Amino acid sequence: MKTIRQIADEIGVSKTAVSKQIANLGLRSGLRKNGNQFAIDERQEILIKQAFSEKSQTENANQSQTKTQTENHEVGDLVCVLQATIDTLQGQLEVKDRQIEKLTEALVAAQQTAAAAQALHAGTIQQQLLTGEAGADQQGQEPEQKRGWFSKLFGK
């Protein structure tokens, strides 16, 4: 035989909770009174402990379900955020692709212009060599010294 206090301590709940469970199970009339305490026999003790066990299992199941729902909601939120990030990055990538395309076109045009300028310059040099202008200009001319305005004025 145990008291309400002893059962409450074993289960880890308050005396009030055990008393309420006794009332819910309809065991109040079957309890014996020992002075100012109720004496609970083994059969009643087992029923009380089973009731608390079922209650805790139900609470654990509810907590587990709530936790699972919360985790699912968090995962869904995370997926939405990641999808938005992916969409943003894909948009930026498309812009960069267009920029690269335009810069490639500009580079090709610049290379063509440079090639044309080199060809023109080469043609000019070849024509000068054929006519002999380049050799005569370089051999016959001495570098002209700079003259100041005073010497130009007085002819010296």
Side-chain angles (χ1 to χ4, degrees):
M1 302 281 264
K2 293 185 180 178
T3 64
I4 292 177
R5 164 64 83 196
Q6 290 171 332
I7 293 175
D9 290 343
E10 285 179 16
I11 299 173
V13 296
S14 66
K15 283 180 11 178
T16 308
V18 173
S19 295
K20 286 182 181 179
Q21 197 60 257
I22 290 170
N24 288 343
L25 294 171
L27 301 175
R28 175 108 20 226
S29 61
L31 298 178
R32 294 185 207 154
K33 192 147 185 162
N34 250 354
N36 64 348
Q37 296 180 342
F38 286 106
I40 301 171
D41 65 19
E42 289 181 27
R43 184 185 63 80
Q44 293 170 331
E45 179 184 353
I46 291 170
L47 290 173
I48 293 168
K49 287 182 178 180
Q50 283 178 347
F52 275 106
S53 175
E54 290 171 3
K55 184 177 180 182
S56 68
Q57 287 176 356
T58 303
E59 288 176 358
N60 287 342
N62 287 343
Q63 287 175 352
S64 176
Q65 185 179 11
T66 303
K67 184 178 178 183
T68 303
Q69 289 173 347
T70 302
E71 289 173 351
N72 288 343
H73 185 67
E74 289 174 355
V75 168
D77 289 347
L78 181 62
V79 167
C80 288
V81 168
L82 290 175
Q83 187 62 47
T85 303
I86 288 170
D87 293 342
T88 302
L89 292 175
Q90 284 178 336
Q92 291 175 350
L93 190 58
E94 289 173 6
V95 169
K96 296 298 178 189
D97 285 344
R98 286 193 296 272
Q99 290 174 345
I100 289 171
E101 201 172 302
K102 287 179 183 178
L103 290 172
T104 302
E105 290 172 2
L107 179 63
V108 167
Q111 288 172 339
Q112 289 172 349
T113 303
Q118 285 177 344
L120 180 63
H121 182 65
T124 304
I125 289 175
Q126 188 177 22
Q127 188 175 11
Q128 286 177 349
L129 287 174
L130 290 176
T131 59
E133 290 177 11
D137 285 344
Q138 290 178 355
Q139 292 173 0
Q141 289 182 347
E142 290 183 17
E144 189 177 311
Q145 292 182 347
K146 289 188 175 183
R147 294 173 41 192
W149 67 273
F150 192 75
S151 63
K152 287 181 185 177
L153 183 65
F154 292 110
K156 201 174 191 184

